[in-house]
Amino acid sequence: MSQPAGFGVISREQLLSLDGLAFLQGIVTGELPQPPISETLGFRLVEVAAGRAVFEGLPEFRHYNPIGSVHGGFAATLLDSALGCAIFSTLKAGDTWTTLELKVNFVRGMNQDTGVVRAEGRIIHPGRTVATSEGDLRDAKGRLLAHATTTCMVFPAGAAK
Amino acid sequence: MSQPAGFGVISREQLLSLDGLAFLQGIVTGELPQPPISETLGFRLVEVAAGRAVFEGLPEFRHYNPIGSVHGGFAATLLDSALGCAIFSTLKAGDTWTTLELKVNFVRGMNQDTGVVRAEGRIIHPGRTVATSEGDLRDAKGRLLAHATTTCMVFPAGAAK
Amino acid sequence: MSQPAGFGVISREQLLSLDGLAFLQGIVTGELPQPPISETLGFRLVEVAAGRAVFEGLPEFRHYNPIGSVHGGFAATLLDSALGCAIFSTLKAGDTWTTLELKVNFVRGMNQDTGVVRAEGRIIHPGRTVATSEGDLRDAKGRLLAHATTTCMVFPAGAAK
Amino acid sequence: MSQPAGFGVISREQLLSLDGLAFLQGIVTGELPQPPISETLGFRLVEVAAGRAVFEGLPEFRHYNPIGSVHGGFAATLLDSALGCAIFSTLKAGDTWTTLELKVNFVRGMNQDTGVVRAEGRIIHPGRTVATSEGDLRDAKGRLLAHATTTCMVFPAGAAK
């Protein structure tokens, strides 16, 4: 296995040369860097397959909101990652994409005793120009913490934007 | 003006002794600490009034996703803060609340050249047990970057939970 | 089997005397009336189990919007029914509930040649005071037409409102 | 004024020959037919301007759900209409569009005594290929009944689909 690539962003040329699944697998294996937000917030991509992506993160005191629990933005960020990458994992080399909207339901709060949490995204509709996915965030005991759906726009390689 | 209180979380007793507006104004003036997430992600509460709250943040390279722009979780976190605090600012001492769901529309991407962004939340429905709010995220030129709505549940002081 | 009960609304007393599953099963078997909206829009409850409800409807020209396809409100109505009843089917006698929010993704349009469509709702989080569910709308070939999530508030029997 | 055109759908050729505002104004004045769904559910377009559309409807017993109030699909249908037409009103002749998603917050229930309700849609982001709008549903006293946001995809005239 190659030396882990740390945190960073690869060049746009390298990004466009890989299909989504190969790119994301490169992050999981450490051949490609985890993105900067992963270091900043403390979560990482741990599994990916076509139409499915899993991130893990650790809720800490540094994620707290003013009312003494983990900020909802932590769950939203992990779910946005998992749902977006579930779609990204189905795209061909050269395709690009952007998230149009994300809806998150917050079911159970998190604190610094929650332990590692796991966000899984699953594709629902793998459309050519619009795709949707869903997913959930659970603790190590499988308890549901939050769930979400998203809509992404896909720009197929070679299409005018 | 008092010495800024830095980052942290006050005790639950102190939290419940203040109404939402007084508590949030304490954060703006620096008498009360900004929450830990503010330090971690780089954003802060800058204005608050009854039914309205404004946060500012600076998109940086450390917020980047794998595809070379600011992660959607940054916008989601600022909007979740602004929309939740717009509701919190209307609550009485002892009332508590939680966010049930948040929907964010992402209109324009951000990068490290975007500059300071501003998320404003405005209450829509100040219900006794369920409240809703809306808001938007804009750059310094007023260009719309994202907008959102949320539903919060309110637990009035003294009510059984 | 009893004579089908047609369309209508039962008394609040009778409604509160039944648990959600028994009430909804009574509609499926025809012992209790289908609601008035079922007659107006042309759809009906066809299956129910604890945490799951299925409605079927027939898209017709009378459901058309100005741009020549079935109005999105038809899909939204069937999904709102299926998702709400998936939650209702888990409630005890005397519990009441209301829908706080519904988000629908429209994947594929419908027209008068689509044939019978089927909306299935499945509970996600069966909370005591807040519950969530998801579901999808498909044609007879199983093709996805729309999908949705919802948040409902539950008022347990005997609780103050 | 011309004879009201009743209910129906115009030809695709006629539809594509008009810009969105002219088309919708034709429906308001009665030169063009109200869509079939307007007759089926009992609501109609009453005002339109660039980026804004208003529908009115009358909640009746025939809209009732099984639990004795107006079905949420009635509010969803009026809001889907108003929000979609707020976007449609900004499009040029030949542009087409479709709704990707709609989120509705239900604030206050309706019954057969509610009287005429009014759904107003307002454009938020008039993008070239993706547009968003928001709106609310109110009774004759201005009380908020529901509010919503939507994302629509626009296919500019002449663009490949």
Side-chain angles (χ1 to χ4, degrees), chain A residues 8-10 12 15 23-24 27 35-38 40-41 43 61-68 71-74 76-78 80-81 85 88 97 99-107, chain B residues 8-10 12 15 23-24 27 35-38 40-41 43 61-68 71-74 76-78 80-81 85 88 97 99-107:
Chain A
V9 171
I10 64 173
R12 186 160 179 84
L15 175 61
F23 173 68
L24 294 169
I27 294 178
I37 187 73
S38 281
T40 300
L41 268 186
F43 72 102
F61 182 70
R62 69 190 184 98
H63 300 124
Y64 271 38
N65 60 32
I67 56 175
H71 194 288
F74 183 76
T77 301
L78 268 70
D80 187 38
S81 297
C85 289
F88 190 15
W97 61 283
T99 300
L100 297 181
E101 60 83 26
L102 174 74
K103 181 198 156 198
V104 183
N105 276 271
F106 302 97
V107 168
Chain B
V9 171
I10 64 173
R12 187 160 179 85
L15 176 60
F23 173 68
L24 294 169
I27 294 178
I37 187 73
S38 282
T40 299
L41 268 186
F43 72 100
F61 182 70
R62 69 189 183 100
H63 301 122
Y64 272 37
N65 60 31
I67 55 174
H71 194 289
F74 183 76
T77 302
L78 269 71
D80 186 39
S81 297
C85 289
F88 190 16
W97 60 284
T99 300
L100 296 181
E101 61 82 29
L102 173 74
K103 182 197 155 198
V104 183
N105 276 271
F106 302 96
V107 168

Side-chain angles (χ1 to χ4, degrees), chain D residues 75-95:
Chain D
T77 301
L78 268 70
L79 284 164
D80 186 40
S81 297
L83 276 63
C85 289
I87 290 172
F88 190 15
S89 70
T90 67
L91 301 186
K92 297 180 185 167
D95 293 350

Side-chain angles (χ1 to χ4, degrees), chain C residues 25-134:
Chain C
Q25 283 175 331
I27 294 178
V28 173
T29 60
E31 288 170 70
L32 295 175
Q34 293 275 344
I37 188 71
S38 282
E39 182 169 27
T40 299
L41 268 186
F43 71 102
R44 62 192 297 272
L45 179 62
V46 295
E47 288 181 40
V48 66
R52 182 173 170 274
V54 182
F55 285 76
E56 285 185 353
L58 183 65
E60 296 178 273
F61 183 70
R62 69 192 184 99
H63 301 124
Y64 271 38
N65 61 30
I67 57 175
S69 56
V70 168
H71 195 288
F74 183 77
T77 301
L78 268 70
L79 284 164
D80 186 39
S81 297
L83 275 65
C85 289
I87 290 170
F88 190 15
S89 71
T90 67
L91 302 186
K92 297 179 184 167
D95 292 350
T96 59
W97 62 283
T98 190
T99 300
L100 297 181
E101 61 82 29
L102 174 75
K103 183 199 156 198
V104 183
N105 275 270
F106 301 97
V107 169
R108 206 175 258 113
M110 289 181 273
N111 59 43
Q112 53 192 330
D113 300 322
T114 298
V116 171
V117 296
R118 191 175 166 90
E120 177 178 302
R122 299 172 293 271
I123 202 163
I124 298 178
H125 173 61
R128 199 175 60 95
T129 57
V130 177
T132 62
S133 60
E134 62 170 1

Side-chain angles (χ1 to χ4, degrees), chain A residues 10 14-33 45 47-52 85-94, chain B residues 66:
Chain A
I10 64 173
Q14 192 180 358
L15 175 61
L16 293 177
S17 73
L18 294 167
D19 65 47
L21 185 56
F23 173 68
L24 294 169
Q25 284 174 331
I27 294 178
V28 173
T29 61
E31 287 170 71
L32 295 176
L45 179 62
E47 288 182 39
V48 65
R52 181 172 171 275
C85 289
I87 289 171
F88 190 15
S89 70
T90 67
L91 302 187
K92 297 180 184 166

Side-chain angles (χ1 to χ4, degrees), chain A residues 69 107-111 114 145:
Chain A
S69 56
V107 168
R108 207 176 258 111
M110 289 180 274
N111 60 42
T114 298
L145 306 171

